[in-house]
Short mmCIF file of all heavy atoms in Angstrom, two decimals:
data_model
loop_
_atom_site.label_atom_id
_atom_site.label_comp_id
_atom_site.label_asym_id
_atom_site.label_seq_id
_atom_site.Cartn_x
_atom_site.Cartn_y
_atom_site.Cartn_z
N PRO A 94 158.22 96.50 -7.97
CA PRO A 94 159.50 95.77 -8.47
C PRO A 94 159.74 96.06 -9.82
O PRO A 94 158.83 96.48 -10.60
CB PRO A 94 159.12 94.22 -8.24
CG PRO A 94 157.60 94.15 -8.45
CD PRO A 94 157.14 95.52 -7.69
N ILE A 163 137.10 112.48 53.40
CA ILE A 163 138.13 113.27 54.02
C ILE A 163 137.81 114.78 54.22
O ILE A 163 138.05 115.35 55.32
CB ILE A 163 139.44 113.18 53.27
CG1 ILE A 163 139.91 111.71 53.27
CG2 ILE A 163 140.55 114.12 53.69
CD1 ILE A 163 141.10 111.50 52.28
N LEU A 243 143.51 169.62 132.08
CA LEU A 243 144.34 168.47 132.25
C LEU A 243 143.61 167.21 132.23
O LEU A 243 144.06 166.18 131.72
CB LEU A 243 145.13 168.60 133.51
CG LEU A 243 146.19 167.60 133.82
CD1 LEU A 243 147.33 167.58 132.85
CD2 LEU A 243 146.82 167.85 135.23
N LYS A 345 158.14 132.52 115.36
CA LYS A 345 157.30 132.89 116.49
C LYS A 345 155.85 132.76 116.09
O LYS A 345 155.08 132.89 117.05
CB LYS A 345 157.57 134.13 117.05
CG LYS A 345 157.49 135.29 116.06
CD LYS A 345 157.97 136.64 116.55
CE LYS A 345 157.80 137.81 115.60
NZ LYS A 345 158.33 139.05 116.15
N LEU A 428 158.06 120.42 98.03
CA LEU A 428 156.71 120.24 97.31
C LEU A 428 155.78 121.26 98.03
O LEU A 428 155.64 121.22 99.31
CB LEU A 428 156.28 118.66 97.61
CG LEU A 428 154.91 118.53 97.11
CD1 LEU A 428 154.87 118.42 95.53
CD2 LEU A 428 154.47 117.08 97.67
#
Side-chain angles (χ1 to χ4, degrees):
I163 292 173
L243 180 61
K345 62 182 178 179
L428 173 76

